[in-house]
Amino acid sequence: MRWLMGGRVLDVVTGEVRRADVGIADGRIATIGTGARRDPDDDVVDVSGSWLLPGLIDCHVHLTLPTDAGDPVAASSRSDAAVALYAAAAAERTLRAGITTVRDVGGWNYVEMAVRDAIRQGLARGPRMFLAGRLLSITTATVDYYPGMYEVADGADAVRAAARRQLARGADLIKVMATGAMLSSETEDSRAIQFTLDELRAAVEIAHDNFKHVAAHCHAGRGIHNAVDAGVDSIEHGTFADDDALRKMAAAGTVLVPTVCASELLFRDAAAVASMPPHLLERMQSFNDLHVATLRRAHELGVTLVMGTDAGTPGNHHGMNAWECVFMTEMVGLSPLESIRSATLHAARLLRQDDLGHLDVGAHADVIVVPDDPLDDISSVTRVSTVVAAGDVVGR
Ligand SMILES: [Zn+2]
């Protein structure tokens, strides 16, 4: 048995904080409370004076994408071996920052699946990984930027086949590009509708028939309408959503993954900004205020936000993921507790993982220790002192 002794534990369901010792066995929480009896050979970690939260869950990462270069072309011709080594290091950095679970919504030639397997086998350190494999897209010149990430499929039958290929490779979800992207080729309009309703329905059919969920990249409002009508589970970004689209999401229970880090962390990284092609930088700058305003409106209208950063885009470094919680609180208007719930409870629900995202007996022992009261100062989640992943103390 391992003990995290003397800390204050946040119950993310009730929002209450209580003094409790957490006992861990076989990767799960075995007991939680005060006055428990310990054996002399138990392993004790003293966390007195600190706060304990569930490990954070980032529902939008690209572990295989390098964050230093502003120009996507610079990374387009890497060998798969180089990508795998990079992704393994990115996974470890992410875990050490307190992100104990990630959803990768666009990998690279499936090397991220090898990284996931290596982590499971104990050959590498990293978070639990839920993977989309390649993302599904219409024909677009953006493939030149991300040749290992895009799976082009035009027409419903081609989409069904492409979705099946991801599942056969071991995908845990399907990612679809319902609209144009920001970090895309000059000829691709980020406001354009891409997959048709018919094509989106085809992707959802295959995913849901196989007990998997669907993440839809969407900026344009009509793309969101199509995606919600098709039955997708999460909308990524949501930049141009109007009230109609947001109300539709709230009514359908479709969650929104904000990815504020993609622009906020880029703007803080002078080297990434300097090396970014002009058309990309212009888009990131001109749509940022609108994106944040849309997220605020989504929150007001009752749309559930689920934490996701887009880590892997330029300047959006792996391991800085928890800043999304800070941005959701300071820029989007969530309370600290709401922003923690978006990175724990709500994220686990999207991933259909009942045993993640909360600290209760029987849940996975994914725990982070932070130095200050996160309900008082949300930036505390960016200063994680200890990470426990499946009961193991990371770094010991
Ligand atoms: Zn992304």
Side-chain angles (χ1 to χ4, degrees):
M1 192 100 142
R2 166 169 290 136
W3 292 91
L4 303 175
M5 293 289 295
R8 277 162 278 198
V9 177
L10 171 64
D11 183 328
V12 293
V13 178
T14 64
E16 286 165 6
V17 175
R18 63 180 170 132
R19 256 282 301 118
D21 305 319
V22 179
I24 296 167
D26 300 325
R28 295 198 180 240
I29 296 176
T31 173
I32 187 164
T34 50
R37 294 173 67 100
R38 283 182 282 136
D39 286 342
D41 56 346
D42 280 352
D43 178 41
V44 174
V45 182
D46 180 5
V47 293
S48 50
S50 300
W51 278 258
L52 273 56
L53 283 65
L56 303 182
I57 303 171
D58 188 335
C59 282
H60 192 129
V61 304
H62 302 277
L63 287 171
T64 53
L65 284 187
T67 57
D68 288 335
D71 186 351
V73 168
S76 62
S77 59
R78 298 168 298 162
S79 71
D80 285 355
V83 176
L85 290 166
Y86 177 88
E92 178 156 1
R93 280 206 304 282
T94 303
L95 178 64
R96 287 181 187 280
I99 316 300
T100 53
T101 301
V102 297
R103 185 179 69 154
D104 190 298
V105 290
W108 198 277
N109 288 339
Y110 310 104
V111 303
E112 69 283 0
M113 300 199 170
V115 173
R116 175 184 62 188
D117 295 345
I119 291 168
R120 283 181 182 163
Q121 292 160 15
L123 298 170
R125 272 280 164 95
R128 297 174 196 277
M129 291 165 67
F130 294 84
L131 306 174
R134 287 173 178 252
L135 54 79
L136 276 46
S137 165
I138 64 162
T139 295
T140 168
T142 304
V143 175
D144 292 345
Y145 280 177
Y146 314 106
M149 183 184 291
Y150 271 60
E151 183 90 351
V152 168
D154 294 301
D157 283 342
V159 168
R160 284 189 193 90
R164 288 181 181 126
R165 280 197 293 278
Q166 308 319 303
L167 297 177
R169 288 283 194 152
D172 303 295
L173 68 140
I174 298 297
K175 164 84 175 292
V176 291
M177 302 297 281
T179 75
M182 295 286 175
L183 295 171
S184 60
S185 66
E186 201 158 2
T187 55
E188 180 173 310
D189 192 320
S190 41
R191 292 156 299 189
I193 306 303
Q194 292 196 336
F195 276 136
T196 62
L197 177 57
D198 197 34
E199 289 167 323
L200 292 171
R201 282 194 169 126
V204 171
E205 176 192 357
I206 298 304
H208 285 182
D209 282 356
N210 288 279
F211 315 107
K212 309 296 186 189
H213 74 276
V214 176
H217 165 103
C218 288
H219 290 297
R222 192 154 64 80
I224 294 175
H225 279 280
N226 286 343
V228 175
D229 285 343
V232 309
D233 301 273
S234 67
I235 300 289
E236 315 299 304
H237 319 301
T239 307
F240 305 113
D242 57 11
D243 280 8
D244 267 1
L246 295 173
R247 287 203 176 93
K248 185 174 213 159
M249 289 178 65
T254 314
V255 303
L256 179 58
V257 181
T259 69
V260 180
C261 282
S263 46
E264 286 305 314
L265 295 182
L266 165 68
F267 299 148
R268 287 162 169 77
D269 187 322
V273 167
S275 58
M276 184 166 260
H279 77 277
L280 297 184
L281 189 57
E282 206 235 291
R283 284 181 197 161
M284 296 302 281
Q285 286 170 335
S286 58
F287 296 132
N288 187 42
D289 289 350
L290 175 61
H291 182 215
V292 172
T294 300
L295 296 170
R296 292 187 75 88
R297 188 68 181 140
H299 180 53
E300 286 166 10
L301 291 175
V303 175
T304 298
L305 298 189
V306 167
M307 196 272 258
T309 58
D310 225 351
T313 57
N316 190 359
H317 304 293
H318 304 285
M320 293 183 73
N321 317 59
W323 281 97
E324 189 75 24
C325 291
V326 179
F327 298 145
M328 282 192 290
T329 300
E330 292 182 353
M331 300 173 70
V332 182
L334 276 68
S335 71
L337 178 61
E338 286 171 330
S339 114
I340 291 166
R341 280 178 178 150
S342 84
T344 54
L345 272 186
H346 300 325
R349 191 169 303 141
L350 174 61
L351 295 175
R352 305 175 179 187
Q353 299 296 309
D354 293 343
D355 294 346
L356 291 177
H358 59 100
L359 299 181
D360 293 293
V361 171
H364 288 297
D366 291 2
V367 188
I368 59 173
V369 182
V370 300
D372 306 294
D373 182 355
L375 300 184
D376 180 52
D377 175 8
I378 187 62
S379 73
S380 183
V381 298
T382 66
R383 297 185 294 275
V384 174
S385 61
T386 303
V387 179
V388 178
D392 289 332
V393 182
V394 177
R396 291 212 302 177

